[in-house]
Amino acid sequence: MTNRIDQDDGFRELMAIRGRGMPSRDEVDIHGADPLFTSPFRIGETAAMALAARGVAANDLWEIRTGSRQRISVDVRAAAATSLYGGDMTQCKDANGIYQGIPYSDAMRHMVSLTQPWRTRDGGWLLPHTNLPHLEKRVLGVLQCASSVDDVRAAVAGWDADALEDAIADAQACAGKVRTPEAWLAHPHGAYLASRPVVEITKLADGEPEPLPAGDYPLSGIRVLDHTRILAGPTAGLGMAEHGADVLMVTAPHLPQVASFVRDTSHGKRSCFLDMDQADQAATLRRLVKEADVVIDGYRPNRLSAHGFGVEDLLALRPGLIHVSVNCFGSGGPFGDRAGWDQVAQAVTGICHTQGLALGAGQPQLTPVFMCDFLTGFLASYGAMLALARRAREGGSYRVQVSLCQAAMFLQRQGLIEGFADAPNRLTPAEFDALAVYDDDTAYGDLKTLGPVLRMSQTPCLWRGTTPTLGSAQAVWLAR
């Protein structure tokens, strides 16, 4: 019987980044096939590759601890469902004891209505991103229009696509010109990313090997400072929590959030408030960094440097640190200082173009799910665990860099499928029930949600503790 991993070019690409060859043929089982969604992209299969790769990285750490390896299994359909969120894969018990889907907020529906490809004056398409109130205000300031579909459509139509993309970037807001895949690879930024691995791991300094802390899971005793918001970065922290890490989310009360994203990416973590603009709280954050193993930075490029928490600052505080950078446009290139979101990455890299063409929509279309966000998060936790294994074997400080655009390009390299027109866009109730976990007495109510879908034979992925609210924990690490 042919092993699926022998056929997946994407999985081999990820294993090349690991640098230790392919795992044994009986270690990894990826089974099932797309489509779950009305999309020509191999969303589930690509997510399964990334999750399986994360499992291999966890196995490397487990082997360092125990000398043995585990069996890994990922179902493609379940992996696809990880790209769903909110009411699709989280339910809350009502007054009658029945679990019901949680409706999307009015703010989310409004954002989705505006964050779409709109026709430009020169016949192109431009997607403005209006998530979070301050970013919407900046976009509308450039467009000089009101916050409605008709007004945004009309305002975008008065601009050429390249000029508007640049103007919104100059305003420190987010937008993306819709390009074909070929045009993106010919663009200087697309060409730059194509020359880089999808997960970049750089050794920044030498150091003595650091043994893994004692514990019963691959990441037991590993301390992860989760300095991220929204989806991609928090998904990276969530993945590390599933393997036993102590993941502490750090944010400030005044920073805008999307409540449903907070709820659905906080399982197994703790959360504290620290304001970097307050000297005493910045000092507390530095104390946390000194005892951390991993810091995940999901802010706009160079944003934390302005507060004294750039990569160099962090390594001075904690030699041997693993710094994980999660952003839209990657490690460099002409767009390297720009911020962006899943939909922006879909627009610029060619996904929107291909999705619209495949659906016969007559215009670019977004995919049904935020797969760039979740895929980027899987890749970030994969890279972080590879770096931790390198630190344990040879020592040193490392930087791991992943991006939404790189994830989008990796997805497109897996090719397209047919027969997706009647895909259901969600799991059946029976499939959901088989994967669901229950979390009672949370601040959000009694929850039933899609649980971890990566299977490991000896250390099952799981979430410890109750889903927290923001700021509910002390700014301290758990005892090892």
Side-chain angles (χ1 to χ4, degrees):
M1 180 177 179
T2 301
N3 193 316
R4 173 68 176 272
I5 65 172
D6 295 333
Q7 302 174 349
D8 285 338
D9 290 341
F11 187 75
R12 286 197 293 272
E13 180 180 340
L14 295 177
M15 289 300 99
I17 294 167
R18 173 175 173 253
R20 302 185 69 201
M22 290 286 285
S24 65
R25 297 184 73 254
D26 60 353
E27 180 173 319
V28 180
D29 174 29
I30 300 175
H31 54 276
D34 286 306
L36 182 63
F37 303 115
T38 51
S39 175
F41 295 104
R42 299 181 185 275
I43 294 173
E45 293 170 35
T46 308
M49 294 175 202
L51 284 167
R54 195 187 85 193
V56 172
N59 242 355
D60 290 344
L61 294 167
W62 187 245
E63 185 176 29
I64 291 172
R65 289 181 182 276
T66 67
S68 64
R69 299 186 72 84
Q70 307 181 44
R71 293 187 305 279
I72 298 164
S73 176
V74 187
D75 178 79
V76 165
R77 200 169 165 91
T82 60
S83 296
L84 294 162
Y85 82 101
D88 290 304
M89 288 291 104
T90 300
Q91 299 176 2
C92 186
K93 188 187 294 183
D94 64 16
N96 297 317
I98 299 172
Y99 285 95
Q100 303 282 359
I102 304 173
Y104 299 142
S105 68
D106 291 341
M108 177 60 66
R109 286 193 289 269
H110 175 70
M111 182 277 289
V112 170
S113 72
L114 300 183
T115 304
Q116 298 291 334
W118 305 111
R119 177 72 88 172
T120 54
R121 180 173 55 196
D122 56 356
W125 297 86
L126 189 288
L127 181 144
H129 203 290
T130 60
N131 196 18
L132 304 182
H134 68 292
L135 295 178
E136 178 182 0
K137 184 177 180 180
R138 292 175 190 173
V139 169
L140 297 178
V142 173
L143 293 175
Q144 291 293 294
C145 73
S147 183
S148 75
V149 167
D150 289 341
D151 287 297
V152 169
R153 179 190 292 113
V156 171
W159 287 76
D160 291 342
D162 285 302
L164 183 53
E165 183 180 50
D166 290 342
I168 291 177
D170 290 343
Q172 299 292 291
C174 306
K177 174 186 173 181
V178 175
R179 295 172 173 85
T180 66
E182 296 77 18
W184 175 245
L185 292 176
H187 187 277
H189 197 84
Y192 168 79
L193 292 181
S195 73
R196 312 296 299 171
V198 67
V199 180
E200 298 185 47
I201 304 176
T202 306
K203 189 174 187 179
L204 299 178
D206 292 326
E208 293 298 317
E210 293 194 28
L212 295 172
D216 297 328
Y217 285 83
L219 290 179
S220 290
I222 295 296
R223 292 167 170 169
V224 179
L225 196 66
D226 185 348
H227 220 161
T228 69
R229 289 182 287 163
I230 311 301
L231 286 177
T235 297
L238 181 66
M240 300 191 78
E242 290 177 6
H243 293 288
D246 178 16
V247 181
L248 181 62
M249 299 184 292
V250 177
T251 188
H254 66 276
L255 294 177
Q257 302 276 356
V258 177
S260 60
F261 293 170
V262 173
R263 181 195 66 218
D264 291 344
T265 61
S266 298
H267 310 301
K269 305 179 187 179
R270 297 178 299 119
S271 172
C272 70
F273 283 145
L274 290 173
D275 186 344
M276 291 181 291
D277 292 325
Q278 304 297 319
D280 59 334
Q281 296 181 53
T284 299
L285 183 55
R286 290 188 181 92
R287 287 197 296 272
L288 290 172
V289 170
K290 288 180 179 180
E291 297 182 336
D293 297 289
V294 179
V295 171
I296 310 173
D297 175 3
Y299 281 75
R300 177 189 291 271
N302 303 316
R303 185 75 179 93
L304 292 185
S305 296
H307 291 270
F309 290 96
V311 178
E312 297 80 7
D313 305 304
L314 297 175
L315 292 184
L317 290 168
R318 191 348 184 155
L321 186 71
I322 311 300
H323 180 272
V324 182
S325 173
V326 180
N327 61 38
C328 183
F329 286 102
S331 60
F335 288 176
D337 61 347
R338 295 187 178 187
W341 306 83
D342 179 288
Q343 299 94 325
V344 173
Q346 289 194 42
V348 300
T349 63
I351 286 178
C352 278
H353 169 82
T354 302
Q355 177 77 16
L357 192 66
L359 293 179
Q363 68 173 67
Q365 293 279 318
L366 292 164
T367 63
V369 286
F370 302 145
M371 77 286 183
C372 295
D373 273 319
F374 291 97
L375 182 56
T376 301
F378 300 156
L379 294 172
S381 51
Y382 170 57
M385 287 192 277
L386 291 182
L388 284 167
R390 287 186 60 182
R391 189 184 75 172
R393 290 191 297 264
E394 64 186 70
S397 306
Y398 296 85
R399 187 173 196 183
V400 177
Q401 293 169 288
V402 297
S403 70
L404 301 173
C405 285
Q406 279 279 31
M409 294 165 70
F410 180 71
L411 174 69
Q412 291 177 90
R413 286 198 290 275
Q414 311 318 311
L416 304 177
I417 59 173
E418 298 179 350
F420 55 84
D422 296 323
N425 289 314
R426 57 179 42 83
L427 298 177
T428 66
E431 288 174 320
F432 179 35
D433 287 344
L435 296 165
V437 297
Y438 296 82
D439 192 1
D440 296 336
D441 297 322
T442 76
Y444 309 101
D446 293 350
L447 300 180
K448 174 184 177 183
T449 189
L450 180 72
V453 302
L454 172 63
R455 302 299 192 216
M456 299 192 70
S457 59
Q458 297 178 49
T459 59
C461 295
L462 53 85
W463 302 324
R464 297 154 185 83
T466 298
T467 302
T469 55
L470 290 177
S472 59
Q474 292 184 324
V476 297
W477 294 114
L478 298 179
R480 283 175 168 152

